[in-house]
Amino acid sequence: DRMPGKENISMLDISGLSSQPIIALNGREAFEYIANSQNNDSQYLILLDLNMPVMNGWQLLDEINAQSFSGELASYIPQTNK
C-alpha cells in the first residue's frame, strides 16, 4: 500500500547525489522518462518498487532490458515487511 510522502524519505537518503531526483509515480512513467532522456552519458539510479501501479517493477526492468539502452543504470529494490 502507498504511504503518502514516502517518496520524500527516499529523496532524503539520496540528497547527496549531484543530480536532481526525478520521482515517477508508476513504472510506465519511469520507463518513458528513461527512454526519452537517455544518451551515451546517461546514468540512472532507480529505487524500484516492485508493486508499482500501471507497470510493476519487474515489467519496468524487462522493458529497459528489451531496449538498446546506451547509458549506465543501477537499480535498487528495497524490501518491505507487511
Side-chain angles (χ1 to χ4, degrees):
D1 294 353
R2 305 277 177 245
M3 291 179 1
K6 82 173 182 181
E7 62 274 1
N8 292 334
I9 294 169
S10 296
M11 288 183 67
L12 292 173
D13 293 339
I14 61 173
S15 62
L17 295 177
S18 61
S19 298
Q20 189 71 302
I22 303 297
I23 297 173
L25 299 178
N26 62 63
R28 174 61 55 196
E29 188 177 306
F31 177 75
E32 289 173 359
Y33 177 81
I34 292 167
N36 292 324
S37 66
Q38 69 170 319
N39 60 47
N40 290 337
D41 297 327
S42 297
Q43 295 179 323
Y44 299 95
L45 170 63
I46 301 175
L47 304 178
L48 188 60
D49 177 357
L50 294 179
N51 298 311
M52 290 183 290
V54 182
M55 174 190 284
N56 70 37
W58 294 118
Q59 293 167 325
L60 173 60
L61 291 175
D62 288 344
E63 286 288 326
I64 290 170
N65 287 329
Q67 303 299 314
S68 50
F69 182 73
S70 59
E72 293 181 44
L73 185 134
S75 60
Y76 174 72
I77 304 169
Q79 293 182 327
T80 59
N81 295 324
K82 287 191 174 189

